[in-house]
Amino acid sequence: MRLSEIIGMGQAYLFQALILVGGIGLCFLLAYVFIYKKAMKGDKRLSKKMLLLAVIFTCYLFVVLGATLGRGAYYEAQIHWHPFSSYKEAWNNFSIIEWRNIILNIFMFIPLGFLLPFFGGFFRKAWVTYLIGFLFTLLIESVQFLTQRGIFEIDDLINNTVGCMIGYGMFSLCSFGYQWFKGHKPSLIRTIVRQLPLVMTVTLFSFIFYTYHKQEFGNLSSTPVYQVKMPTIMLNDEITLSTDRDEVMVYASKVGTKEETLQVANEWFSYVGATVDESQTNPYDEAIIYYSSDQSHSIWVYFSGLEIWFHDWTQSEHPVQSGFSLEEVAEILESYGVQLPKETTFVDAGDGDYLIEANLSELDGVYMDGIIRCTLTKDKKIESIHHEMTPFYQFKKVNLLSEQEAYLQLIEGKIHHRYIKNLSLDDPIEIKEITLQYEKDSKGYYQPVYQFNGLSNQQEVTIIIPAIQ
């Protein structure tokens, strides 16, 4: 979900909250005037400041509950007990979306910590506000778990509570300024201490992004997040594990700029006689969507590798064609500026769909890796194509772990949990093959990884372990 969509969702919930609060407020005022004042002869006056605070606080609660519980019941009942696992996943993928979600989880509870102390008395105590923030998050996570509207995550408890603490620190800062302006002498040390959650959070994220920027390679999604409990691992008798620490090449791919994505879109549209209408451009975090002026053509251009997903909607009414040979498909693709390496795997999937895969195959001095999926019409036109075959070039050599060292990591459970998520711990895994493969990292480099292929209760199992020392 894009930031603009998140903001739009928040605005929608805020609008609903205003309607709800308006209705409740009207009922309250009618009851105050006709029941309390006239019937009961009450003489207490309403505080305008407290009424305004109550309205703001109620709207805030409605938005938070809508954002966290307003989704459908699409989740399995899961509990993620591992602290900071979402941080490790975001680090491994280094996804803008994942980091943004973590930061938004913190920001979402800042207003709670800021607003509660305005109610005065008991809520002015720091530990009370912190505890309320924790308990409110615990309530939300529990309801999400029970209704399957989300996953119970320890990280959400941490992030939301930290957000509440930051909000309380902001209130303390405002209170300090107000009291100092009024001529009082508030505690400076106490106010500074209450800013520590904000300072530590900013420092943490600054360190994370600075460290990532300075490191040479990107991160691998196959890197373990936490140590997992493994079934029994058995090695096939025909496999001999090498203890050699070999040296192999790391490959690099291009990461495009916004201007380069536009160039790619213009080039593809030129093959079909169309032009990009930049007024309809739709940017996402990892790609940009371009449309022709009549929206008869669209293309997603991804920054990583400048991969594309192209649709020619004018061809959707034309009959598709199966049975093309690899040579015929290559000729059609070449008319759109796509060249194929000599060593590829070709599959005619039927219904006009074709799949071409390259595994670091050489083409004009570069190495092509990835998959092209395309749908072709009877008159040899592209209806759609998902071009994920990326060019790579040699970057530098690196030293590897030995197969023996990688196997020990496997036995110890130092693998990503997704590889055994659906396996029973009672069923042993027999490793039948170990190969050296490549995985694209978060900066566009192709890093070597060990791929362990095996069987568990007749089910095929593939486990990836990063190979660089």
Side-chain angles (χ1 to χ4, degrees):
M1 184 177 291
R2 291 178 295 172
L3 184 59
S4 59
E5 294 172 338
I6 294 173
I7 294 173
M9 181 179 69
Q11 290 174 336
Y13 284 127
L14 179 58
F15 179 72
Q16 296 173 33
L18 289 172
I19 295 176
L20 176 66
V21 171
I24 295 174
L26 180 60
C27 294
F28 176 79
L29 286 175
L30 291 174
Y32 174 77
V33 172
F34 292 103
I35 298 177
Y36 178 74
K37 295 287 286 185
K38 292 190 175 181
M40 301 176 63
K41 306 298 181 181
D43 58 357
K44 289 186 178 180
R45 301 182 63 182
L46 292 175
S47 169
K48 294 180 180 178
K49 291 182 180 179
M50 291 303 296
L51 280 176
L52 178 61
L53 179 61
V55 168
I56 294 173
F57 191 73
T58 304
C59 288
Y60 163 74
L61 290 181
F62 188 90
V63 171
V64 170
L65 293 174
T68 54
L69 302 177
R71 297 169 289 187
Y74 306 125
Y75 296 82
E76 296 180 8
Q78 297 181 41
I79 300 178
H80 288 180
W81 291 111
H82 301 276
F84 303 107
S85 60
S86 64
Y87 285 74
K88 294 174 184 176
E89 286 282 14
W91 172 260
N92 292 346
N93 300 315
F94 221 84
S95 164
I96 295 175
I97 296 174
E98 291 180 51
W99 284 122
R100 185 181 64 204
N101 289 342
I102 290 172
I103 294 171
L104 284 176
N105 262 335
I106 295 174
F107 269 66
M108 184 168 60
F109 270 61
I110 289 177
L112 180 65
F114 184 79
L115 292 173
L116 276 176
F118 280 102
F119 287 99
F122 192 60
F123 298 104
R124 291 290 175 97
K125 298 179 180 179
W127 70 269
V128 172
T129 298
Y130 297 168
L131 181 61
I132 291 174
F134 175 81
L135 293 176
F136 185 39
T137 304
L138 184 63
L139 173 65
I140 291 173
E141 294 297 308
S142 300
V143 173
Q144 284 183 334
F145 174 77
L146 294 173
T147 61
Q148 296 187 346
R149 293 175 180 271
I151 300 171
F152 189 108
E153 293 188 84
I154 296 298
D155 284 1
D156 285 347
L157 287 174
I158 296 171
N159 293 331
N160 295 164
T161 304
V162 168
C164 187
M165 295 169 73
I166 292 173
Y168 185 84
M170 291 180 173
F171 168 82
S172 297
L173 196 61
C174 294
S175 177
F176 176 87
Y178 178 77
Q179 291 181 53
W180 181 81
F181 180 77
K182 289 291 186 179
H184 302 299
K185 294 182 179 180
S187 173
L188 177 61
I189 295 178
R190 184 182 300 173
T191 303
I192 292 175
V193 169
R194 289 170 178 170
Q195 308 313 310
L196 287 179
L198 174 61
V199 173
M200 293 173 66
T201 302
V202 172
T203 301
L204 172 64
F205 283 102
S206 299
F207 177 76
I208 288 172
F209 285 92
Y210 176 78
T211 302
Y212 179 78
H213 175 72
K214 297 297 290 184
Q215 70 183 27
E216 186 173 27
F217 299 130
N219 303 326
L220 295 174
S221 62
S222 58
T223 302
V225 175
Y226 50 83
Q227 192 166 356
V228 299
K229 189 175 182 180
M230 294 292 292
T232 301
I233 304 295
M234 300 185 300
L235 197 63
N236 189 282
D237 294 337
E238 298 180 2
I239 297 178
T240 301
L241 296 173
S242 171
T243 58
D244 296 334
R245 291 182 168 183
D246 297 326
E247 189 177 61
V248 300
M249 185 64 67
V250 169
Y251 298 87
S253 68
K254 185 177 183 58
V255 177
T257 63
K258 181 179 179 180
E259 292 73 22
E260 287 172 324
T261 64
L262 179 58
Q263 292 175 7
V264 171
N266 277 319
E267 182 179 351
W268 271 89
F269 281 11
S270 68
Y271 294 126
V272 293
T275 56
V276 172
D277 182 356
E278 293 190 53
S279 66
Q280 301 185 62
T281 298
N282 201 353
Y284 282 77
D285 293 316
E286 298 171 355
I288 299 179
I289 312 176
Y290 296 97
Y291 297 93
S292 60
S293 55
D294 59 356
Q295 291 196 336
S296 59
H297 303 86
S298 67
I299 184 170
W300 290 63
V301 185
Y302 296 84
F303 294 108
S304 178
L306 291 175
E307 299 168 356
I308 64 99
W309 187 11
F310 172 78
H311 285 275
D312 184 347
W313 304 107
T314 65
Q315 299 295 324
S316 59
E317 300 298 325
H318 294 217
V320 295
Q321 178 66 52
S322 299
F324 286 134
S325 66
L326 173 59
E327 290 73 19
E328 290 174 309
V329 172
E331 184 179 347
I332 295 171
L333 294 179
E334 191 171 354
S335 67
Y336 288 82
V338 178
Q339 289 188 310
L340 299 179
K342 291 183 179 179
E343 297 181 10
T344 58
T345 301
F346 175 71
V347 176
D348 180 350
D351 295 325
D353 295 330
Y354 298 87
L355 186 148
I356 306 163
E357 184 174 3
N359 184 12
L360 287 177
S361 303
E362 191 170 356
L363 175 67
D364 298 332
V366 298
Y367 297 85
M368 306 296 293
D369 193 277
I371 297 175
I372 293 177
R373 299 178 180 87
C374 58
T375 302
L376 305 179
T377 64
K378 193 172 184 178
D379 55 355
K380 297 186 176 182
K381 300 292 184 183
I382 292 179
E383 180 183 312
S384 68
I385 179 171
H386 204 163
H387 188 345
E388 296 177 297
M389 191 177 291
T390 307
F392 292 85
Y393 60 89
Q394 293 184 352
F395 181 69
K396 68 178 292 186
K397 287 188 174 182
V398 294
N399 294 318
L400 301 184
L401 298 171
S402 68
E403 290 180 351
Q404 179 71 45
E405 290 171 317
Y407 181 69
L408 288 175
Q409 289 190 17
L410 173 62
I411 293 175
E412 293 170 359
K414 296 178 181 179
I415 66 170
H416 197 284
H417 55 277
R418 67 171 177 266
Y419 296 125
I420 62 167
K421 181 179 179 181
N422 299 318
L423 301 182
S424 170
L425 293 176
D426 297 327
D427 296 326
I429 300 174
E430 182 184 6
I431 302 300
K432 293 183 169 294
E433 182 185 32
I434 304 172
T435 60
L436 187 67
Q437 302 291 337
Y438 279 84
E439 180 182 336
K440 192 176 182 181
D441 70 21
S442 57
K443 288 189 176 182
Y445 293 98
Y446 247 41
Q447 294 191 33
V449 295
Y450 284 112
Q451 180 172 308
F452 291 80
N453 298 319
L455 288 175
S456 175
N457 192 24
Q458 304 303 313
Q459 180 180 348
E460 291 187 355
V461 179
T462 298
I463 299 173
I464 303 295
I465 292 180
I468 296 179
Q469 289 184 23

